[in-house]
Amino acid sequence: MHFELSEEQLMIQKAAHDFAINECLPGVIERDEKQQFPKEQILKLADLGFMGMMVDEKYGGAGLDTVSYVLAMEEISKTDASVSVCMSVNNSLVCWGLEKYGSEEQKQQYLTPLAQGKKDGELYIGAFLLSEPEAGSDATSQHTTAEDKGDYYILNGTKNWITNGNSASVYLVMAQMDVSKGSRGINTFIVEKNTPGITVGAKENKLGIRGSDTHSIMFQDVKVPKANRIGEDGFGFTFAMKTLAGGRIGIAAQALGIASGAYERAVEYSKQRKAFGKEIAQHQAIQFKLADMATRIEAARLLCLRAAWEKDKDIDYTLSSSMAKVYTSETAMWVTTEAVQVHGGYGYVKEYHVERMMRDAKITQIYEGTSEVQRIVIGRSILK
Ligand code: CAA
C-alpha cells in the first residue's frame, strides 16, 4: 500500500488549485449574492479538459482517472462549490453514464461535445433528471411517464431540483413506462433541452451553492426518438443507481473541498487574530478545534480516495462511495460551522468566506442521496 500521488495526479491538483485561485476566487462572493451562474468559469474549465475528465480521449475527454477527478474537485470546491457541482454533475452523472452504457451513436452525437463542455464554441453541458416533486429519496416512485409510440416515446411529467437545469443542452431523463413493473419499468432517455414541450421553471432561491443553476423541468407531450433510450428496455433505474454511485464520489470530493477550504481559512485567521495577549491559535480552545478539523478532514480524504481508487480498479464501489459521501458531507457541515466559530463575528459576515462555505456544505448532506439514503445503502451492503 502506498499513499503517494503520481506526477500526473499532482499536476492536475496544481492546475485545479491555480484555476480556483485565479478564476473562481475573484467574484465568488458577488456570484453567490446575485445567484449568478458561473458560465465564464465553466467555459474555462472546459478548456482545461475538466468537464469530461474521465472520458476516453477518443470521445473528447481528458482520459484521466477518478483519483485525479477527486483531487480537482477538492481544489475547486475549496473556493467555489457552485462551479464544482456543475463540474461534478457533467462528469459523473452525465458523461460517465453515457460512456459506460450509451450506444456508439449516442456517444458520437452527445458524449463528445458534453465531455468537451462545448459545441461550436458555446457552452454544452448536461443534467440528470431523476428527482420529482414526490420522488426524492424514494426514487423508484417515478411519476414522469414515457409512452412507447412505435418510432418514438412521449414523455409527460415534472422533474425537480435539477442542477444545470437551465444551462444544460442535454438532459438524461428517467421515466416510468409501466408502473406494474416498479423499478424495472423505468427507462432513461437522452432529451435535448430545446425539444418542443419542455418548460424550464424559475431558478430556485437557495441557501447555498447559489450560483448553481437549479430548476424544475416540465415535460408536456415531449417526443423523444427511440434511438435516445439508454440501454435495454427497463434498464433506466439500474442506470440511475450505477451512475449515482460514481456521482457520490464527486459530491464527497466537493464536501471534502468545502471542509478543507474552511479549515485552511480558520488556520490562517487564528494565526493573525489576537485575544488575551496572544494569537488565538495559541489558545488550547482553538488549537483543539483545528486539530479535530484536520483529523476529520484527513479521514474523509482517505475515504474519498479509497472510493475513487476502487472505481479505477473496477472494484464494486457502491459501499465505499456511500461511506465517503456520508462521512465527508457530515464532516463538511461540522468543520464549516467550527470555522465560523473560530472567526467569531467575522465568520458571520460574507467577506471572510466561511459563512458561504457553511451554507454550501449543507446541500452535500442532501443531494445525490441524503445522508439517510447513504446509510440505507451502507446498511444493506454490510448485512447482505
Ligand atoms: N446498482 C445496481 N442496481 C441497483 C443498485 C445499484 N447500486 N441499487 C439498487 N439497484 C436495483 C436493485 O437491485 C433493484 O433491482 P431488482 O428489482 O431487479 O432487484 C432495484 O434497483 C430497486 O432497488 P431497491 O429495491 O433497493 O429500491 P428502493 O426503493 O428500496 O430504493 C434507494 C433504494 C437506495 C433508497 C434508492 O431509491 C436511492 O438511491 N434513492 C436516492 C436517490 C438519489 O440519490 N437521488 C439523487 C437525485 S440526483 C441529484 O441530486 C443530482 C443533482 O442534480 C446534483
Side-chain angles (χ1 to χ4, degrees):
M1 180 186 284
H2 63 88
F3 290 94
E4 294 95 22
L5 297 173
S6 69
E7 288 281 315
E8 187 179 60
Q9 288 162 345
L10 288 168
M11 210 177 70
I12 296 298
Q13 188 179 41
K14 167 93 174 57
H17 172 83
D18 293 349
F19 178 85
I21 300 302
N22 298 328
E23 307 293 344
C24 298
L25 188 57
V28 64
I29 294 172
E30 292 72 21
R31 288 194 300 277
D32 170 72
E33 213 162 317
K34 295 180 189 155
Q35 304 196 75
Q36 186 187 327
F37 179 69
K39 184 172 176 184
E40 205 184 298
Q41 285 71 21
I42 302 298
L43 285 168
K44 286 182 181 162
L45 264 190
D47 291 339
L48 271 182
F50 279 15
M51 293 306 281
M53 289 187 78
M54 296 165 287
V55 175
D56 196 308
E57 282 160 315
K58 75 175 174 188
Y59 297 118
L64 294 164
D65 60 8
T66 315
V67 169
S68 300
Y69 169 59
V70 163
L71 298 171
M73 278 295 298
E74 179 183 354
E75 288 306 318
I76 293 166
S77 306
K78 278 182 187 177
T79 302
D80 193 338
S82 291
V83 169
S84 68
V85 67
C86 174
M87 171 179 159
S88 181
V89 166
N90 200 64
N91 273 280
S92 299
L93 296 187
V94 178
C95 289
W96 185 84
L98 273 176
E99 184 168 27
K100 179 88 179 165
Y101 300 110
S103 67
E104 189 51 36
E105 294 70 32
Q106 290 169 349
K107 291 183 201 180
Q108 297 289 346
Q109 189 176 350
Y110 296 108
L111 177 60
T112 303
L114 284 167
Q116 291 169 338
K118 278 187 185 178
K119 191 174 176 184
D120 303 326
E122 296 293 323
L123 184 73
Y124 195 89
I125 57 174
F128 185 83
L129 281 67
L130 175 66
S131 300
E132 298 187 351
E134 290 172 72
S137 293
D138 185 9
T140 47
S141 300
Q142 293 286 301
H143 287 74
T144 297
T145 57
E147 222 182 313
D148 192 340
K149 294 283 189 184
D151 290 347
Y152 58 92
Y153 295 95
I154 290 289
L155 265 56
N156 277 292
T158 299
K159 295 292 180 177
N160 257 27
W161 319 120
I162 305 305
T163 305
N164 300 342
N166 195 37
S167 44
S169 302
V170 174
Y171 296 150
L172 301 189
V173 185
M174 286 87 212
Q176 183 61 260
M177 302 283 302
D178 182 350
V179 186
S180 68
K181 290 187 182 163
S183 65
R184 294 177 202 192
I186 295 170
N187 275 323
T188 300
F189 303 94
I190 305 168
V191 184
E192 297 186 23
K193 182 196 168 204
N194 59 11
T195 312
I198 293 179
T199 312
V200 178
K203 182 167 174 157
E204 300 290 350
N205 187 357
K206 308 191 295 289
L207 173 74
I209 55 160
R210 287 169 57 79
S212 83
D213 203 13
T214 313
H215 294 258
S216 296
I217 315 288
M218 280 71 78
F219 295 82
Q220 192 177 4
D221 295 330
V222 174
K223 198 170 165 180
V224 178
K226 241 336 157 21
N228 284 23
R229 188 187 75 207
I230 300 178
E232 295 294 309
D233 193 23
F235 177 67
F237 191 74
T238 305
F239 173 87
M241 290 296 111
K242 293 271 187 202
T243 306
L244 276 166
R248 288 164 185 166
I249 301 176
I251 299 306
Q254 181 192 42
L256 175 64
I258 297 170
S260 53
Y263 160 75
E264 286 173 12
R265 286 184 184 277
V267 170
E268 208 177 300
Y269 180 82
S270 69
K271 290 198 284 194
Q272 286 161 12
R273 172 77 178 175
K274 290 199 171 107
F276 305 103
K278 54 185 175 184
E279 290 84 27
I280 60 168
Q282 299 309 319
H283 292 291
Q284 200 178 56
I286 300 297
Q287 253 179 42
F288 278 13
K289 281 191 196 301
L290 298 176
D292 284 345
M293 286 157 119
T295 306
R296 290 200 199 180
I297 289 170
E298 198 48 36
R301 183 175 290 116
L302 292 174
L303 279 174
C304 288
L305 290 171
R306 163 74 184 262
W309 178 85
E310 284 188 357
K311 182 163 173 284
D312 288 333
K313 295 279 175 217
D314 229 359
I315 299 167
D316 185 352
Y317 51 91
T318 316
L319 172 62
S320 60
S321 69
S322 281
M323 284 182 166
K325 183 175 183 288
V326 70
Y327 188 78
T328 310
S329 59
E330 290 183 359
T331 297
M333 201 62 246
W334 182 80
V335 167
T336 53
T337 309
E338 288 294 81
V340 170
Q341 192 69 17
V342 169
H343 281 74
Y346 292 100
Y348 207 63
V349 296
K350 293 193 186 292
E351 68 228 65
Y352 284 78
H353 297 275
V354 286
E355 65 81 36
R356 183 185 72 257
M357 294 171 167
M358 189 176 90
R359 289 185 284 106
D360 287 350
K362 186 62 206 170
I363 191 63
T364 66
Q365 296 178 297
I366 299 173
Y367 59 21
E368 300 204 23
T370 59
S371 292
E372 291 73 17
V373 162
Q374 305 314 322
R375 288 185 168 91
I376 292 176
V377 175
I378 295 166
R380 286 181 182 176
S381 178
I382 58 181
L383 293 172
K384 84 176 171 200

